[in-house]
Amino acid sequence: MTTTKQFMVRAAARNNAEWCAAMARSHGLVGAWGQDAWTAPARTPPLHPDAVTLVPGAHPAALVARIDTGTPGASVKDSFADLDLSDAGFHVLFEAQWIHRPARPPSVAPDLAWDLADDPAALRDWARAWDDGDGGAGLFRHELLADPATFVLAGRSADGRVVAGAVAGRSDQVVGISNVFARDGGPDAAWPVVLDAVHRLFPTLPVVGYEHGDALAAAVRHGFEPLGPLRVWLYGPTAARSTA
């Protein structure tokens, strides 16, 4: 891995940890920042990890000791895919790739208008579109709107309905994108409007995130480059959680 890629992976990992910390705070949970990782002392909101490593070479036992493994369901985002947590009762839930895109307009012109879901009613509409009836819209609480680095991007149809979107998290050096969705057409339909919004909001910041499978292939089609692997480890015998 080149020095530039190493820098971008660390920036992406830090940015993702900041997003996970913001989501945890919106649910009343304050995590702790260490040199090696961000960790939460109690179970984090659904779909979000209990720890995110910030540098390579985190000590597995010391990391696991800082999160709640009293019941199955804890998860660790191994940002550099260099940990073995199997002896601590974890198994690999999935593997993915960090991704990076230079600061520039979208390569495909968006066909949707966009705005920020920046009040409780707009966030509720966005969350319902993101959830698509699966019963998880309550994950996005209005307390999240108080975080100055979090921007909820809503792509709207001609009649004003939220039909696509993502969450953007601004850091000093990058802007991270997560929760990309479109009601129809999947990520290929979402990325043009999301990237247009990000470029207009943060024209000088490169864009990072992570994806796997078909979503990774879609991100590459829209100008992202894979940077390096990450793993998500899940505690306990069943794959009950995913992570953001």
Side-chain angles (χ1 to χ4, degrees), residues 31-76:
W33 291 93
Q35 290 187 344
D36 60 340
W38 173 84
T39 56
R43 190 58 19 82
T44 49
L47 310 180
H48 291 74
D50 300 88
V52 182
T53 60
L54 303 174
V55 296
H59 191 281
L63 180 65
V64 171
R66 288 146 60 189
I67 64 175
D68 176 16
T69 57
T71 56
S75 60
V76 172

Side-chain angles (χ1 to χ4, degrees), residues 115 117-133 137 140 152-156 160-164 181 183:
D115 59 15
D118 56 2
D119 63 62
L123 179 62
R124 185 167 55 250
D125 289 344
W126 181 95
R128 287 171 176 166
W130 167 85
D131 179 63
D132 197 22
F140 292 89
V152 181
L153 311 175
R156 296 187 180 274
R161 293 179 298 113
V162 178
V163 294
F181 76 93
R183 298 295 297 270

Side-chain angles (χ1 to χ4, degrees), residues 22 57 66-67 85 87 100 104 173 210:
R66 288 146 60 189
I67 64 175
L85 301 181
D87 287 345
H100 160 254
R104 62 180 183 230
Q173 298 164 317
Y210 76 89

Side-chain angles (χ1 to χ4, degrees), residues 24 32 43-44 77 95 101 103 113 142 179 204:
R43 190 58 19 82
T44 49
K77 185 169 289 172
E95 298 185 344
R101 189 181 191 276
H142 68 85
N179 297 281
T204 63

